[in-house]
Each structure stands twice: as C-alpha cells, then as structure tokens.
Amino acid sequence: MAPLLAFASVAPAAAQVSAEDIQRSVQLQESWLYLTRDVAEPAQWLPGGQGFTYRKTVEGGFVFVTYDSATNSRRAAFDQTAIAASLSKAMNQTFEPLRLPFERISYTADGKAFEFRYAEEGWRCTIADSVCAQAPRTSQPRGFGVVRDLTVPAINTPRRSPDGKWEAYVENFNIAIRPVGGQWKRISFDGSEANFYDPESIVWSPNSKKLAAYRVIPGYRREVTRVITSPSDQVQPKVIVQLYPKPGDPVDIDRPVLFHAETGKHIAIPEALFANPYRMGKFKWRKDSASFSFTFDQRGHQVGRLIEVDARDGTPRAAVEERAKTFINTGSGREFYHEVSELGAEVIWMSERDGWNHLYLIDGRTGKVKNQITRGDWVVREVVKVDDAKRQIWFAAGGMRPGEDPYLQHYYRVDFDGRNLTPMTTVDAYHDVAFSPDMSMYVDTYSRIDLPPVSELRRTSDGSLVATVEKADISRLVAAGFKAPEAFVAKGRDGKTDIYGVIVRPRDFDPNKTYPVVENIYAGPHSSFVPKKWWPFGYQSSGDKTIGMQSLADLGFIVVMMDGMGTLNRSKAFHDVAWKNIGDTGLADRILWHKAAAAKYSWYDIDRVGIYGGSAGGQNTLMAMLFHPEFYKVGIAYNGCHDNRMDKISWNEAWMGWPLDESYAASSGVDNAWRLQGKLMLVVGELDMNVDPASTYQVADALIRAGKDFDMLTVPGGEHGVLRSVGPVDYGLRRHYDYFLRHLAGVGTPDWNRMPASAPGGTVPAAH
C-alpha cells in the first residue's frame, strides 16, 4: 500500500477570512455587471434580413436591441417588461425585465415570435402582444437522439406531396396514402409495434411520385428514476422518470423504405451498407427525384457514409465513405456535408483524414476526392454558407494566422477548387460573425480576454465598414479594479505542442507573497474551454458559471485554466489522446503547464494546488485527485460523470467507443476510488437530468468501502448546474470558497451556523 502523502503546506488555521470578504466575492458578479455598458453579444438576423437582434449590458442588467441595417437605427427588440410579466406568470417564478432567463433567441420563420430554452423546455413569446408559453412540440422526444420516447406520440400530421395532390401518414404502424380529400389506402402491411413506420421520417420526392420513410425496431427503454425529496408544493416526496439510454444499450434501428405513390409498390433496399447503425440522417431527395440520400453513422463512430439510393430499384451505394482508427467526430458542428446543386454529383465533405479538420470536394459518383478545398496545420470550425452558383464557401477557422493564438476564430471565403482564400476578419481577436440571409452584410462581434467586445456591421462584398454597432465601455469596471487574465503558454507532454491557458490573480495581488493555486478544469473532448473572448464581468467557469474565477482569486488564490491534450480545436492527434482514455484528462500537460508557471513566477506555490470542475469537469477533478495525488491536494467535483458506463450514451460512446471494454473501467472514478489521498468534496444535485446522480453516489460508496474520508454535499432539488438551481446562491459559493480556504490555503472561515438567520417566512419560533 502506498504511503499517505504529507500535506506539510496545509497548517492549522492561523489566519481567518471574514464573512464580509466571502460575501464580497459572492456578490462580485452582480457588482461588476452594473459597471459595464454596451457589452454586446453575437447578433441574430431577423428572418427577412431587414435587421438583427443582440443583447447588451445596461445599468441593472441586459436589454435586447434590434438594429435596422437600412437606416442604422436601433429600437427595443420587444417589450421586456411585458415579457418578464408573461414569463413570470407562465413559469410561476419572478423575472425582472432586465434579467430575463435567456441570453439568445431564435426567431420563428415569420419573425412574429421568438423562442428560447429554459430548464430543459422550449418557450415561445409573441412580439406584438408579449404572450409567452411553452413552444409547441415539433417532434417525438428521443433519449439522447437514439431511442424514441414511445410514451409520447409521434407527430403524425399527414405529409402533403409537393404538388399538393397526395398525403401520407402512419395508420396502425403502417404507411397509408390518399389523394387529398380522398380515401386512405395502406401501402405497407408489415408494420407492427415492434417494427413500425415513423411518420416523422416521411419525405416525398420533388415530383410527388415517390416517398421514403424509416421503419424502426425500437431500442431499449432504460429509465433513470429520481426522487424529489423536498418538493415546494407538498410535504411528501415525488418521483420522476427519465428516458436515459446508456453506453452499450440497444438503440433504435432505422431502416429506409421506398414506395411508389400511385401503385403503392414497396421497393426493398438492401441493408449491408448501413448495418449496425448508431444514427441515420434525414432523407434528402435529389431535385431530379432520381435518388435520395442519407447519412449513416455506424455504432462505434469509426465508419460514416453518405448513402445514395436509386429511386427506381432501391439500390444503395456509398457516395462518400469516412473511416477512422479512433473516432469520427460527429459533434460540435463537425459533421458537415453539402450536395452541390442538390444533385449529388459533387459533395462538399468535412473530414480529419489528413490530420486536421478540413473541407474536400468529392465526386459523388465515384466517392473519390476531386480536390482538397482547405489545407494546412489549422482547423475548419464551422461552415456558414455554400454558394453553389458562385462555387464559394464561407467558413470559420482557427490557427491559420502565424503567431496568433490558434484558438482565436476567424472567418474566410474560398472557392470550391481551394483558390482565392479570402479573410473576412482581420483583427487579432475571437470573432463571432452573423451573415444576413442574402449574404450581403455581416455583423462581426469580436473580442479577446484583454479586448472588450466591438460589434461592427460590414459589407460582404469587400468587408467595408457600414457602421460600428456597439463598443463596450468598461471604464467603471477598470476603475473598480478589473484586470484582464494573463494568457500563458507552456509546452505539453511531447515537449513540442503548445498548451494554452489563463492566469487570474487577486485584485490586491502582491508579487512578494506566495499564493496557493486552484485549477478550474473542464476537459471534455467535445470542445475547447479556455476563454478566448472578453470575459463578461470577469467570469468563466466549467460546470457552473456562477463560480467565478476572479471571485475565488480575490480570497487569496491564483486561479488558472488550460486546455490539455484530448480536447478539441487542434489537430486530430491532439484530440485522439481522449480515445478510450477520457480518464487521461490532459493531466500530464496540465501539470507541466503549472510547473512552467511556477518556474516563471515566484508567487506561484506549486506545492499547494487544488482543482474543481462540474459535469465532465467533475470527472476530470476526480481523475486528478486519484491519479496525481502528489500534485493535486484538494478537489471539489460537481455532478461528475464519474463512470462512463453510467452516463448518457451519446457523449460517452463518442469518445470511449463501442462495444464497451476494459477502457471504461480504467477511466472510472468508481473503480479507482481506492486511490484517493487528498481532500475531496463531492457535490451532486438530486435532480440532475444530464448526468445520472447515481454516478456520484457510486463514487461515495466506493470511497466508503475503501475506508476513505471525504466530504459530500447533496443538494435537494439541485439540477446539473447545481449551484445555480437551488437555494440562496451564496450557500453553494461559500461552501466552495470555504473548502479551498480551509484545506488548501490553511486559513479559517466563519462559523456560519452562528450567523443570524430567520425561520421560513421570517418568524422566529420559540426555543425548546
């Protein structure tokens, strides 16, 4: 058995942090918010293209502004006072007009309403009369996209053909069609509860003579049961059940079917090219009605295809095929293809086949590469627009500009043949660009961690400036002591690759002192996480954004964050470190980064390093504590997905693979809990709908069985963002602060139980 580590640096509490100091940190986000003006967020164009909407800071909070691009004038996007009142009534909560429960909106097609998501639900508000209600359901819910929730009926509204003469829907699990106004006639007879036709998948051919649909063998209905121990409307607990497929579970098997409408003829489609599917894409008919296509993601995410089906005889073929020895990244906007002119003879295809994420022009008849459109040691991050007529592509990318942080996002235009690569953005910053529907204009909102946001309206033709929409004013914030975080770069485990991070100091920083260090970690393979934009109000955090890095730093810590290997937006090799190895967490790179910072700065106490994170960051935190106890001394893990077999199927199979193997156990915080040596606090919300709360409880069980001491906070009613979702915000934050102050800094904190308090309702019961 390994000897216990000596924590010589953590002495008995000799100093004391006051309640006032902690409360000041708790309230920092609010106090800093009121000191900024015109901090604009990315724009959203109106459907008609006559203007765009964005949110910005004002005294007391945020307003949504609509900018008229023709007149360069501004107006309120909607009546925020009326919307706040309507939402308060609809949700049975209280919302202030300047603190609405959403950051961005999406307009309905007619522009008369907007939609947003809140508490896992979709909401819609009309603009003219400010009426808000839950948005109408547009599809049957699915458990993480792969198992249909059969307790909720599918949307079975008859699908009308493009010529308006036919309708199709599902009747008793089978396809039925009719001339509009005529009698329904079944054209399939093999559907059943265990092998049914999906009405939401029905797509007519452009010439209205054929239709395609999926026939479905349902997957396993795994349910996660949660207990609401402390409901607000009754004394007794409640139980809720969630459809929650996990790694290894059988998923829905979708099989394409083809029918000729007039004859009702069913044409069989051989299945060899799309056997063992994880997910099948929506049907896209070619505009000549001669064929249709769909994407196929094979279980395990190592084979992907664009399948074309001949509409005459149902013969399928692979128009494009992608293979990987590790994983094909099917998330984060990286699963992109475009059939040129809707005929399929050419396909724009996104791939990492040369080691970087790039675009290729594929011959849709042979599957061969006609030419690589983008090339180099940089990554395409998003395709914004493909113009078939001009044979041009607009896209976002990172890492193309020598000497610049490769995570900064810029926008470009390029021809299909790879020529005439043209930058649309030039300022050394992170750019969020929103193009007008007709592509004639764009709004460029850009910033860096040391450059407050600027929002500009420009012409797409030549990039010329039309107007400066907003320019942030942070003068009062700077006067209050705000300083931008320091960008810091060090070499990773291979001695060559740059690892990028940030350092946040206390506002009363003294270079002659030494400070314990706390790492804010989030290392999910689905993205990169170190802030590159200006930090609104000095805040950015994994798991729970209310845990501000600056507010923690102000209590006497250096707070840092970096992106180690295994995260996204670098090379394929950089990303592949996570393959069947999520437990790696990039910790080898992170520790070297810490050591480089300590070598440069005498005030950086490398012997007192703590770590915290939520969700994937919670798992990362536990991995750091279990596998590197010589380095990480104190950790707080929020709602961690501590065992990849316990978490959602989509995220975990994407990186850990299928079928399940020993790699899942190797990355498990449960199976490795016996390794704990430092001080650990587990935090879990009982109503987390993202990560099964049992994942945290199983870690606790394993720690108890191993005889380990640890701390645990279970939050009744707590959700995935556990500190945001329940109770006074200062409770969770001050528990967070207290833990690092006591166990990492070695200082005392107030006896909170002796602080003044009131009984519920403000009455004080008699003492007994």
Side-chain angles (χ1 to χ4, degrees):
M1 181 176 179
L4 293 175
L5 297 179
F7 297 99
S9 59
V10 181
Q16 179 85 13
V17 174
S18 70
E20 290 75 19
D21 287 336
I22 292 178
Q23 193 62 24
R24 192 177 303 115
S25 280
V26 167
Q27 295 174 347
L28 185 64
Q29 183 178 27
E30 282 294 302
S31 64
W32 277 16
L33 168 63
Y34 296 121
L35 300 180
T36 64
R37 297 290 184 278
D38 303 328
V39 175
E41 297 174 5
Q44 168 73 45
W45 282 85
L46 298 169
Q50 67 273 30
F52 52 88
T53 297
Y54 59 93
R55 189 177 82 144
K56 71 170 187 175
T57 58
V58 294
E59 179 72 35
F62 302 87
V63 294
F64 287 83
V65 177
T66 292
Y67 188 98
D68 189 312
S69 55
T71 64
N72 291 330
S73 60
R74 299 169 178 82
R75 66 177 187 274
F78 45 83
D79 185 337
Q80 292 192 201
T81 299
I83 291 291
S86 182
L87 285 174
S88 297
K89 181 178 180 181
M91 296 185 185
N92 195 27
Q93 298 184 52
T94 300
F95 297 108
E96 298 298 325
L98 297 183
R99 308 303 287 273
L100 295 172
F102 49 86
E103 298 177 5
R104 298 199 69 183
I105 61 174
S106 59
Y107 284 101
T108 55
D110 59 8
K112 295 181 179 180
F114 64 86
E115 295 181 341
F116 64 93
R117 292 195 65 80
Y118 177 75
E120 307 295 332
E121 299 286 350
W123 290 84
R124 175 181 292 179
C125 298
T126 54
I127 295 174
D129 55 8
S130 302
V131 175
C132 298
Q134 284 191 300
R137 182 169 60 87
T138 58
S139 63
Q140 186 176 43
R142 299 192 188 194
F144 303 112
V146 293
V147 177
R148 291 166 175 81
D149 186 349
L150 300 181
T151 66
V152 180
I155 305 296
N156 198 15
T157 304
R159 266 55 172 180
R160 185 162 292 189
S161 61
D163 65 6
K165 296 179 180 180
W166 293 89
E167 289 180 323
Y169 86 128
V170 170
E171 178 183 81
N172 196 25
F173 309 115
N174 281 284
I175 299 281
I177 66 172
R178 70 173 180 180
V180 173
Q183 295 296 313
W184 289 105
K185 175 185 176 182
R186 287 193 191 178
I187 55 175
S188 77
F189 301 92
D190 52 356
S192 67
E193 189 172 12
N195 201 345
F196 58 86
Y197 289 90
D198 179 5
E200 296 180 2
S201 70
I202 297 172
V203 181
W204 284 92
S205 63
N207 65 6
S208 303
K209 293 182 177 181
K210 308 177 186 75
L211 60 89
Y214 278 124
R215 191 178 177 197
V216 183
I217 300 174
Y220 172 59
R221 184 179 174 82
R222 181 185 294 280
E223 296 179 340
V224 169
T225 301
R226 296 174 178 82
V227 178
I228 308 175
T229 60
S230 309
S232 59
D233 58 347
Q234 66 183 49
V235 174
Q236 298 304 320
K238 296 180 179 179
V239 174
I240 57 174
V241 174
Q242 179 188 11
L243 174 63
Y244 196 104
K246 295 186 177 184
D249 287 349
V251 301
D252 288 355
I253 303 297
D254 292 3
R255 298 298 191 201
V257 292
L258 174 64
F259 294 94
H260 286 194
E262 291 183 351
T263 64
K265 183 179 180 181
H266 176 192
I267 300 175
I269 302 174
E271 301 173 356
L273 282 175
F274 43 88
N276 192 24
Y278 176 78
R279 184 187 296 113
M280 307 279 273
K282 294 181 178 180
F283 299 121
K284 290 185 178 180
W285 278 95
R286 305 283 167 68
K287 66 180 181 181
D288 61 4
S289 298
S291 61
F292 64 89
S293 65
F294 59 90
T295 54
F296 160 71
D297 178 13
Q298 184 171 285
R299 191 82 182 261
H301 306 293
Q302 293 180 296
V303 178
R305 296 187 179 102
L306 175 63
I307 306 291
E308 177 190 84
V309 176
D310 190 316
R312 295 170 299 176
D313 57 12
T315 301
R317 68 179 186 85
V320 186
E321 181 172 277
E322 191 76 26
R323 290 181 177 268
K325 293 181 179 179
T326 56
F327 53 78
I328 299 170
N329 185 8
T330 58
S332 308
R334 303 301 166 88
E335 188 181 22
F336 175 85
Y337 78 98
H338 170 80
E339 296 181 338
V340 179
S341 300
E342 300 181 39
L343 287 172
E346 292 179 309
V347 180
I348 308 293
W349 186 260
M350 185 179 286
S351 170
E352 292 183 296
R353 60 183 63 183
D354 79 342
W356 299 82
N357 199 56
H358 282 300
L359 299 174
Y360 295 78
L361 183 64
I362 307 289
D363 186 319
R365 302 299 179 224
T366 67
K368 295 182 179 180
V369 176
K370 296 184 70 172
N371 62 267
Q372 185 169 347
I373 301 171
T374 60
R375 184 190 304 270
D377 293 353
W378 48 273
V379 297
V380 174
R381 295 181 64 148
E382 178 192 14
V383 174
V384 178
K385 170 75 173 179
V386 178
D387 188 324
D388 292 345
K390 294 181 179 179
R391 295 183 71 80
Q392 292 178 328
I393 304 169
W394 284 261
F395 65 96
M400 197 186 303
R401 294 158 58 97
E404 190 176 274
D405 183 335
Y407 292 98
L408 294 181
Q409 178 173 276
H410 285 272
Y411 286 76
Y412 302 86
R413 184 182 66 241
V414 69
D415 294 346
F416 281 13
D417 60 8
R419 298 178 182 178
N420 298 317
L421 178 64
T422 304
M424 306 297 294
T425 55
T426 57
V427 176
D428 178 5
Y430 187 101
H431 295 259
D432 281 299
V433 168
F435 289 92
S436 62
D438 64 1
M439 296 297 291
S440 64
M441 293 183 173
Y442 63 92
V443 184
D444 180 12
T445 303
Y446 61 87
S447 68
R448 290 190 313 268
I449 57 173
D450 59 346
L451 175 67
V454 176
S455 184
E456 298 173 337
L457 179 63
R458 292 182 175 271
R459 295 180 183 89
T460 307
S461 58
D462 58 6
S464 59
L465 180 67
V466 176
T468 298
V469 178
E470 298 289 353
K471 188 172 183 179
D473 179 357
I474 65 166
S475 56
R476 294 170 63 197
L477 185 62
V478 172
F482 170 79
K483 290 183 175 62
E486 175 191 352
F488 189 80
V489 184
K491 297 299 180 184
R493 69 187 77 177
D494 60 3
K496 300 180 296 183
T497 304
D498 285 333
I499 303 299
Y500 290 77
V502 293
I503 298 174
V504 180
R505 298 173 174 84
R507 283 184 289 167
D508 61 355
F509 174 73
D510 182 348
N512 297 312
K513 294 182 179 180
T514 58
Y515 292 88
V517 179
V518 179
E519 179 180 340
N520 171 13
I521 190 168
Y522 194 94
H526 54 288
S527 192
S528 55
F529 307 97
V530 172
K532 300 300 173 181
K533 307 177 187 181
W534 186 77
W535 269 347
F537 331 122
Y539 280 75
Q540 176 87 19
S541 175
S542 63
D544 194 304
K545 292 183 180 179
T546 62
I547 306 173
M549 293 173 69
Q550 186 66 61
S551 60
L552 179 58
D554 283 353
L555 292 171
F557 298 95
I558 300 298
V559 186
V560 302
M561 191 176 190
M562 74 278 318
D563 282 316
M565 292 184 184
T567 52
L568 189 59
N569 293 321
R570 301 287 288 279
S571 68
K572 173 68 170 166
F574 189 99
H575 198 195
D576 276 350
V577 170
W579 171 241
K580 290 185 175 293
N581 190 30
I582 279 185
D584 175 273
T585 304
L587 291 166
D589 312 302
R590 295 166 184 277
I591 291 171
L592 288 172
W593 190 96
H594 281 285
K595 290 180 177 179
K600 182 176 181 178
Y601 298 122
S602 61
W603 40 261
Y604 198 104
D605 192 343
I606 198 70
D607 294 320
R608 291 187 293 168
V609 179
I611 189 167
Y612 73 91
S615 192
Q619 180 185 25
N620 306 150
T621 295
L622 184 58
M623 291 293 100
M625 297 295 294
L626 299 181
F627 287 97
H628 296 277
E630 78 291 344
F631 189 80
Y632 293 100
K633 308 299 179 16
V634 182
I636 307 177
Y638 295 90
N639 282 357
C641 41
H642 297 299
D643 190 307
N644 300 106
R645 296 164 293 195
M646 284 291 294
D647 193 26
K648 66 195 75 66
I649 186 173
S650 53
W651 192 86
N652 294 274
E653 282 195 13
W655 322 114
M656 296 296 289
W658 177 93
L660 278 61
D661 58 20
E662 65 279 358
S663 66
Y664 279 80
S667 289
S668 168
V670 178
D671 291 354
N672 290 285
W674 59 272
R675 301 176 184 273
L676 180 67
Q677 296 186 41
K679 296 291 294 185
L680 172 69
M681 180 163 75
L682 300 172
V683 183
V684 62
E686 67 179 9
L687 297 186
D688 185 351
M689 305 298 281
N690 186 306
V691 175
D692 185 348
S695 188
T696 297
Y697 288 108
Q698 289 184 2
V699 173
D701 177 67
L703 290 170
I704 291 169
R705 292 177 183 277
K708 299 292 183 177
D709 290 341
F710 64 100
D711 295 281
M712 187 167 180
L713 173 62
T714 299
V715 182
E719 300 170 4
H720 191 58
V722 61
L723 296 188
R724 295 196 306 267
S725 59
V726 65
V729 67
D730 59 346
Y731 180 80
L733 288 175
R734 64 99 165 157
R735 288 292 299 268
H736 178 86
Y737 300 152
D738 275 20
Y739 205 76
F740 283 125
L741 286 166
R742 293 176 180 177
H743 299 297
L744 189 65
V747 301
T749 59
D751 183 348
W752 297 100
N753 286 355
R754 292 186 176 274
M755 294 292 176
S758 299
T763 60
V764 180
H768 295 283

